[in-house]
Amino acid sequence: MENENKTINIIEEEFRQYLKLAEGGDSDAQLDCGYFYSNGIGTMKDEEKAFQWYLKSAEGGNNSGQYNLGCYYQNGIGTIKDEGKAFQWYLKSAEGGNLKGQFNMGIFNEYGIGTIKDEVKAFQWYLKSAEGGYLMGQYNLGCCYRDGIGTIKNEEKAFQWYLKSAEGGSHLGQHNLGHCYHYGIGTIKDEGKAFQWYLKSVEGGNLIGQYNLEYCYTNGIGTLKDEGKAFQWYLKSAKSGDSNGQNNLGNCYEKGTGIIKDEEKAFQWYTKSSEGGNNLGQYNLGRCYNNGIGTIKDEGKAFQCYLKSAEGGSSDGQYNLGTCYENGTGTTKDEGKAFQWYLKSAEGGNHMGQCSLGNLYFTGIGTTKDEKKAFQWFLKSAEGGNHIGQNNLGSFYRNGIGTTKDEKKAFQWFLRSAEGGEKFGQNSLEYFYRNEISYVKKNQNKLKHQCINCENLNNTCSDCKLIEMQKWTSGNCDVDKIIQMTQSDENANEWEIWRWIDYSKLKNIEYLAEGGFGSIWKAEWIDMPEEVFEFYKSNQVALKKLKNSQEISSEFLKELTSNFQCRDKYVLPILGITQDSTGHSHEIIRL
């Protein structure tokens, strides 16, 4: 107790000495007196007296006093708040070489505080502050180069200034440097370094860095995947009050990621996140109420949560709010409002929102019917990976709704939808197979007969060499050209394309009848292409052996060409041409 009293007496004596010097006009002592009064050191805390001493120090030319006076005017401490005066004193401080004053001049010019907004001047003041070694100046200069604020965008320079800031100990700089390494911004991508800088940022207490570190552990970026550690970091940031961490912790408990699944705790953390204003937390809390996850199902509360999330900018919340209005879930049904919220969600990039918006334009629910707009939104949804959107886009292409009819594109989108597990896409794909449309396999077949040099079908250049030509060549140029003609026809279906068929692939050949044109035989085509077999459901074929066909006549070639050009479902299709060991040519047709 005695030692404490001695210390207090020493501090009070020190204050009296500074006060005497200050009253004598010493600007440094005036600055110190301001500090003593501001913090209640050696005297009673008195912000108004602190302000008065900072004012004297500032008027005496002390740039630190000028900086502190700017802070007092900016925040209304010991005086009336006045951003214009704050700007003027920061300017004097900055011009006197005070790094903090230079940094604040950057802030005031960037955002137009107490002066007209001027990003070029902001950049220049950040630069002075950064070159003087001020860490926050270096960090903000990096942001200017990253975003092109007051200067030309330059990601490499942004990286360099983040590096200086990070090496100096700025936790924000460390976080942004990690982000640069993570995504290869201004430097070579290096997930290991990204993880290390995120870690340094977090160790310094940076909450955004914690979020990214959690992401690294969750996905194994720059470190071993460790859901347990990810959970621990989420827990730490959640307990510190970070609403993003609280939302992520809710996800962990809901899915059992890194911790035992506990829907009630998930609900509790989503609630905390929502109360903190986090729109993702509000969205997830809405899901809990809507589906009874960790709480009693309550569609009215779900609607309210979706509304908060939607108004906060969450595209998922906007989409779900749209579904509430469309179906009257937890609120009065209102198709006009459903349309408006789907539109916001769609414009925000939500693929389900884009698909639902397409449906409303197609049906004219909540808006004027517009098939072209419906097509455009289904296209955006489909390209974003939404399988329902892909199926709907396929239907539009198949039927020519809002776009030109294109069965090839229809098939491709139905295929993508089906591969994604969408039931309607699978049904549509079955429809295409039943209706004899198989464009993908047809195109694959065409590519096998594409010129290696000019990449076109048929002989189109002097050095033309067809891929896999040796597998089907008849040895007769005229016959090969006819076969290639069928394979290059854009309107030909797979089962209408002709092939040169090795006679050895025909088994169990039996004579059937004789006619004026030749004889008819039946056989089994043992390596019939899968797509042809799928269409006919049989490998039984008929062989039409022409009389005197050892020498293929021009009349025979014309007959073949005419048959292909006049193909019709009522005309027996030719599947290919073969030649037996005696040199007789055969048309192979359906039995």
Side-chain angles (χ1 to χ4, degrees), residues 221-241:
I221 295 173
T223 187
L224 293 174
K225 185 175 180 178
D226 192 324
E227 293 178 344
K229 285 186 179 178
F231 171 81
Q232 291 301 323
W233 282 110
Y234 286 138
L235 180 61
K236 185 175 181 180
S237 61
K239 286 184 174 179
S240 71

Side-chain angles (χ1 to χ4, degrees), residues 510-522 543-549 584 586:
E510 296 181 25
Y511 172 79
L512 293 179
E514 191 76 21
F517 51 82
S519 55
I520 298 295
W521 305 67
K522 74 172 183 177
L543 277 70
K544 179 182 174 182
K545 181 179 179 181
L546 303 177
K547 289 181 178 179
N548 303 318
S549 62
H584 285 87
H586 303 255

Side-chain angles (χ1 to χ4, degrees), residues 268-315:
Q268 291 166 358
W269 283 110
Y270 287 145
T271 301
K272 286 184 180 291
S273 177
S274 175
E275 290 171 345
N278 188 288
N279 58 49
L280 289 176
Q282 292 161 346
Y283 163 75
N284 283 329
L285 188 62
R287 284 194 310 103
C288 288
Y289 278 122
N290 194 51
N291 300 295
I293 300 171
T295 189
I296 298 170
K297 185 173 180 177
D298 189 322
E299 291 180 345
K301 288 184 178 178
F303 170 80
Q304 292 300 326
C305 290
Y306 289 145
L307 179 60
K308 287 184 179 181
S309 175
E311 290 175 339
S314 167
S315 66

Side-chain angles (χ1 to χ4, degrees), residues 503-504 578-586:
Y503 193 78
S504 66
T578 190
Q579 190 175 57
D580 63 23
S581 58
T582 63
H584 285 87
S585 296
H586 303 255

Side-chain angles (χ1 to χ4, degrees), residues 415-471:
L415 180 62
R416 289 178 68 172
S417 176
E419 289 173 343
E422 171 56 36
K423 180 179 69 175
F424 293 110
Q426 293 166 349
N427 292 340
S428 299
L429 199 61
E430 290 172 7
Y431 168 87
F432 261 65
Y433 279 123
R434 285 197 307 271
N435 287 273
E436 306 154 13
I437 300 172
S438 183
Y439 292 99
V440 171
K441 291 182 179 178
K442 173 186 171 184
N443 288 337
Q444 287 174 341
N445 181 72
K446 285 183 181 179
L447 288 174
K448 292 178 182 178
H449 307 97
Q450 191 177 52
C451 172
I452 295 172
N453 297 315
C454 66
E455 298 186 353
N456 289 317
L457 297 168
N458 304 324
N459 296 338
T460 57
C461 68
S462 59
D463 298 320
C464 194
K465 180 180 179 183
L466 295 178
I467 300 171
E468 298 188 5
M469 180 73 171
Q470 70 280 8
K471 292 187 178 181

